[in-house]
Amino acid sequence: MSDSRPRRFRLRYVAAVLALFAAVIMGLVASNGAESPSVEDYYSSFESRLGYWLLLGNTRHCGLYKKGQLSPFPISRAQRAMEEKLYTRLGLKEGARILDAGAGSGYVAIYMARKGLNVQAIDVTPHHLVDAQKNVRENGLTEKIAVDYGDYHNLTTFNDESFDGIYTMETFVHADDPVKVLNNFYRLLKPGGVLVLHEADFNRNSQRLQEVLRLSHCGNTLEEGEYRKLAEEVGFKDFTLEDLTDEVLPMWRLFGVVGYVPYQLFKLLGIAHRFTNVMAGVEAWLNWGDGRYISVRVVKP
C-alpha cells in the first residue's frame, strides 16, 4: 500500500493556500468598519464597488418586477422598468429640465435623457462622477445631460425655480438633514414642479436595523408616515405614495440567498459589520415586511 502521507500533506497545503487566499480577499473586500462612515466611504468601499459591478452592472438601484415573480433575471430589464416607473411618476413633457440628485453612474439620467428630458446630474462620490461622465459621453448624450459635483444639502449654485422636476433614486435615505434637503428641492422647483423620491421607509425598528442603516450611511431613513408629514411641512402638496415592496422582492431575495452563508460565517467570526452590503441584503430578506420600498410624488404649489 502506498504511503498516503504525501497526499495528505498536499491536501493540507492546498487547503492552507485557499484559506489564506480567502482571508486576503475578505480583507480587501471588507469595509474599514468605521463607526460613522460617510456616504463617500460607503460607496467607495471595495465591497460596495465589487457588489454593484458583479450583481447590478454598476447601476445603483433596485429593479421593478411583476407581483409574484420569482426570478430576478434579467436584472437589467427590471432596472429599466424601475426607471420607467420613475419617469412616469414625474409626468413631465419633453424638454423639461430636471435634477438627478445622486446620479451614481448616470444610468437613470441616461434613461431620462432618452425620454427627451434635460438632466442636471449631481453626486458627491468622485468615482461616481467619473463613471457618469464616461457613460454620458459613450451614449452621445452630452447635450442632454450635465454631470457635476453637487451635495443636495447645499444647492446654492442653482437658481431659485430653475427645474421642472427633481428626483432621487435611492439616495434621499443618505440625507444627513432630510428637512434641509426637501427645502432645497422646494426652492429649486418652479411652481407646479414635481418631486419624486424612490426610497425606503420602515415600520418596525430594531438594533440590527439601526446597525445596518448606520453602516450604509442611511441613519436618517424615515419611519412610515414621515414622508407625508415632512413634505407637507415644507410646503409641498398633492402627496401620493405607491408601495412597490412586492415588486422589488425578487432582487432582494437574490441578495439574501447569495449572501446567507457568507453572512453566517462573518457573524461567527465577528466581522459581519465589515461587510455592510451582505448584512443589508440578508437582513432585509430575513425581515421582509419591516420596511417598504416606496415611490413618493409631491408638487410645489
Side-chain angles (χ1 to χ4, degrees), residues 1 16 19 23 54 57 65-66 70 88 97 107 123 125 127 149 151 159 170 176 199 216 222 226 234 248 260-261 277:
M1 181 180 293
L54 283 175
Y65 301 86
K66 294 180 180 179
L70 295 178
T88 301
R97 186 177 186 228
Y107 291 110
D123 205 286
T125 304
H127 77 270
Y149 175 87
D151 183 342
N159 294 327
E170 303 171 27
D176 294 321
E199 303 293 340
S216 55
L222 300 180
E226 286 295 300
V234 168
V248 302
Y260 184 80
V261 172
N277 290 293

Side-chain angles (χ1 to χ4, degrees), residues 46-60:
F46 193 67
E47 187 218 9
S48 284
R49 298 180 73 164
L50 182 64
Y52 281 117
W53 176 64
L54 283 175
L55 291 176
L56 302 182
N58 267 341
T59 301
R60 292 165 177 81

Side-chain angles (χ1 to χ4, degrees), residues 115-166:
K115 288 287 191 175
L117 304 180
N118 298 307
V119 187
Q120 171 64 65
I122 61 171
D123 205 286
V124 297
T125 304
H127 77 270
H128 286 180
L129 294 170
V130 172
D131 287 349
Q133 289 163 352
K134 175 177 174 287
N135 291 331
V136 168
R137 285 195 306 271
E138 290 181 349
N139 282 274
L141 290 169
T142 54
E143 297 298 315
K144 300 286 291 182
I145 304 172
V147 179
D148 296 294
Y149 175 87
D151 183 342
Y152 54 30
H153 294 89
N154 182 3
L155 297 173
T156 55
T157 55
F158 300 114
N159 294 327
D160 294 359
E161 301 182 358
S162 55
F163 292 97
D164 301 291
I166 298 174

Side-chain angles (χ1 to χ4, degrees), residues 88-291:
T88 301
R89 292 280 279 163
L90 283 166
L92 297 172
K93 296 179 180 179
E94 185 173 343
R97 186 177 186 228
I98 59 174
L99 176 68
D100 181 333
S105 293
Y107 291 110
V108 182
I110 288 169
Y111 190 90
M112 298 300 160
R114 286 176 172 163
K115 288 287 191 175
L117 304 180
N118 298 307
V119 187
Q120 171 64 65
I122 61 171
D123 205 286
V124 297
T125 304
H127 77 270
H128 286 180
L129 294 170
V130 172
D131 287 349
Q133 289 163 352
K134 175 177 174 287
N135 291 331
V136 168
R137 285 195 306 271
E138 290 181 349
N139 282 274
L141 290 169
T142 54
E143 297 298 315
K144 300 286 291 182
I145 304 172
V147 179
D148 296 294
Y149 175 87
D151 183 342
Y152 54 30
H153 294 89
N154 182 3
L155 297 173
T156 55
T157 55
F158 300 114
N159 294 327
D160 294 359
E161 301 182 358
S162 55
F163 292 97
D164 301 291
I166 298 174
Y167 66 82
T168 65
M169 181 69 95
E170 303 171 27
T171 60
F172 187 74
V173 288
H174 294 298
D176 294 321
D177 188 340
V179 174
K180 182 175 183 179
V181 175
L182 286 175
N183 274 304
N184 286 339
F185 291 162
Y186 188 90
R187 178 182 67 81
L188 294 185
L189 283 170
K190 299 175 183 177
V194 177
L195 171 65
V196 176
L197 310 171
H198 275 209
E199 303 293 340
D201 64 6
F202 65 91
N203 57 58
R204 190 180 76 84
N205 207 343
S206 69
Q207 184 176 350
R208 182 52 56 89
L209 171 64
Q210 289 305 315
E211 183 179 16
V212 171
L213 295 179
R214 174 180 61 81
L215 292 170
S216 55
H217 195 273
C218 296
N220 290 310
T221 299
L222 300 180
E223 295 188 43
E224 212 171 290
E226 286 295 300
Y227 276 95
R228 177 188 285 273
K229 176 184 175 183
L230 294 185
E232 292 179 349
E233 285 179 359
V234 168
F236 287 105
K237 67 173 187 176
D238 298 339
F239 179 97
T240 63
L241 183 151
E242 290 190 22
D243 186 343
L244 306 177
T245 308
D246 290 342
E247 286 100 316
V248 302
L249 176 57
M251 179 177 284
W252 283 94
R253 185 188 294 118
L254 172 67
F255 297 158
V257 171
V258 169
Y260 184 80
V261 172
Y263 181 50
Q264 301 309 314
L265 174 61
F266 298 155
K267 285 203 297 183
L268 185 65
L269 296 174
I271 58 173
H273 64 288
R274 295 177 64 88
F275 294 84
T276 305
N277 290 293
V278 174
M279 175 188 285
V282 176
E283 288 293 341
W285 177 53
L286 292 176
N287 298 285
W288 201 254
D290 290 352

